[in-house]
């Protein structure tokens, strides 16, 4: 570990290929983390951790959009694959959010607004990136079906904020 820190401090800045490869590995790990959370969805603490760390990962990728934009033409396929991996992870995050709301898991419910905001920001930044590089055809945005962690569709509309407030006052 010390060697890694030492070697990274000696180089002024990593080249774009190394950074893109690092981002791709992180996107893959993010996707696997969220898949793990989906597989073991009966553990509330794991879902809470997955949502908390998933939000942090999505925020990192949103902050890196400037770098990805600059290097998109050179690393188009790698960046598009990275986006697909992150998108798969955010789908699982959406499932976790729906699961937390329908089962009224308080630990998850506190993380849901921030997570949804991060995922929405990610969508807008990806759309902007792809539009700037005339690749908007690679992006398709549809309506999410509200599904449980087991994949079954639960209802067309999630509980609204007002419904949750009414239940809390009773």
């Amino acid at each position: 570990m010390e060697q890694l820190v030492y070697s990274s401090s000696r180089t002024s800045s990593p080249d774009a290929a190394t950074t893109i490869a690092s981002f791709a590995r992180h996107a893959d790990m993010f996707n696997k983390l969220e898949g793990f959370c989906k597989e073991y969805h009966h553990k509330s603490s794991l879902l809470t951790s997955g949502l908390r760390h998933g939000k942090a990962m999505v925020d990192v990728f949103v902050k890196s959009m400037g770098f990805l934009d600059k290097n998109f033409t050179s690393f188009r396929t790698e960046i598009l694959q990275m986006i697909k991996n992150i998108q798969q992870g955010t789908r699982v995050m959406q499932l976790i959010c729906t699961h937390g709301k329908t089962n009224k898991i308080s630990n998850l419910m506190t993380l849901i607004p921030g997570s949804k905001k991060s995922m929405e920001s990610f969508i807008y930044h990806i759309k902007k990136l792809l539009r700037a590089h005339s690749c908007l055809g690679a992006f398709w945005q549809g309506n999410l079906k509200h599904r449980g962690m087991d994949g079954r569709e639960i209802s067309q509309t999630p509980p609204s904020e007002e419904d949750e407030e009414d239940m809390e006052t009773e």
Side-chain angles (χ1 to χ4, degrees):
M1 183 69 149
E2 290 176 23
Q3 249 183 349
L4 180 63
V5 172
Y6 176 72
S7 65
S8 66
S9 65
R10 284 186 9 208
T11 58
S12 58
S13 65
D15 64 337
T18 305
T19 305
I20 295 289
S22 176
F23 278 152
R25 281 192 310 275
H26 283 88
D28 188 50
M29 285 188 286
F30 165 68
N31 188 17
K32 288 178 181 175
L33 166 74
E34 296 304 324
F36 187 75
C37 290
K38 182 179 179 184
E39 187 175 336
Y40 296 98
H41 66 273
H42 55 278
K43 297 188 180 218
S44 177
S45 61
L46 182 62
L47 294 177
T48 302
S49 179
L51 198 57
R52 180 177 294 122
H53 295 294
K55 177 194 177 307
M57 289 295 289
V58 170
D59 288 341
V60 167
F61 286 114
V62 167
K63 289 176 184 173
S64 69
M65 284 299 158
F67 174 79
L68 297 176
D69 185 32
K70 282 189 239 178
N71 293 288
F72 190 84
T73 53
S74 302
F75 300 98
R76 178 186 173 116
T77 56
E78 292 88 348
I79 292 173
L80 288 176
Q81 183 59 44
M82 183 184 345
I83 291 169
K84 286 179 185 177
N85 275 339
I86 298 167
Q87 183 184 20
Q88 289 172 353
T90 59
R91 284 184 188 145
V92 176
M93 285 178 65
Q94 178 65 34
L95 289 176
I96 294 171
C97 290
T98 302
H99 178 75
K101 277 188 172 183
T102 56
N103 295 320
K104 307 225 181 302
I105 302 171
S106 61
N107 292 344
L108 288 176
M109 290 179 72
T110 58
L111 299 172
I112 290 172
S115 297
K116 286 197 171 212
K117 182 178 178 184
S118 292
M119 289 186 286
E120 188 175 321
S121 177
F122 176 73
I123 289 170
Y124 289 126
H125 281 86
I126 290 300
K127 241 176 143 173
K128 181 181 172 186
L129 173 75
L130 295 175
R131 186 180 299 123
H133 294 282
S134 303
C135 294
L136 203 52
F139 182 81
W140 181 81
Q141 181 179 356
N143 292 331
L144 283 175
K145 292 183 179 179
H146 298 283
R147 298 186 183 270
M149 293 300 285
D150 57 358
R152 64 178 169 74
E153 192 170 336
I154 48 176
S155 72
Q156 293 294 358
T157 56
S160 68
E161 305 291 328
E162 293 174 357
D163 292 342
E164 291 172 7
E165 290 174 5
D166 290 342
M167 288 181 190
E168 290 174 2
T169 58
E170 291 178 358

